[in-house]
Amino acid sequence: MSREEQFIQPNAENYYEVTKADLPLSCPMPAMSAWNSHPRVYLPIEETGTAMCPYCSATYHLQKD
């Protein structure tokens, strides 16, 4: 597997399902390559269960246990 295949393409989708293991939530997420993305921003998702990135408008939904 090449180094590029190890990362999730940032800003490729508009909706992401995340789990508590992904907290604290940031966009781009740590598994996304950051070299071709916007600056990392941390998103408050714990209270409402959803968050939208102010840069790319990706919506994140926190899965219930």
Side-chain angles (χ1 to χ4, degrees), residues 10-11 26-29 33-41 53-58 60:
N11 311 324
S26 65
C27 186
M29 294 174 65
S33 58
W35 69 269
N36 62 347
S37 189
H38 56 71
R40 179 162 286 143
V41 60
C53 176
Y55 286 102
C56 67
S57 299
Y60 294 87

Side-chain angles (χ1 to χ4, degrees), residues 47-61:
E47 270 190 46
T48 64
T50 61
M52 181 182 287
C53 176
Y55 286 102
C56 67
S57 299
T59 301
Y60 294 87
H61 181 263

Side-chain angles (χ1 to χ4, degrees), residues 10 16 19 21 28 39 42 59:
Y16 296 92
T19 66
Y42 287 90
T59 301

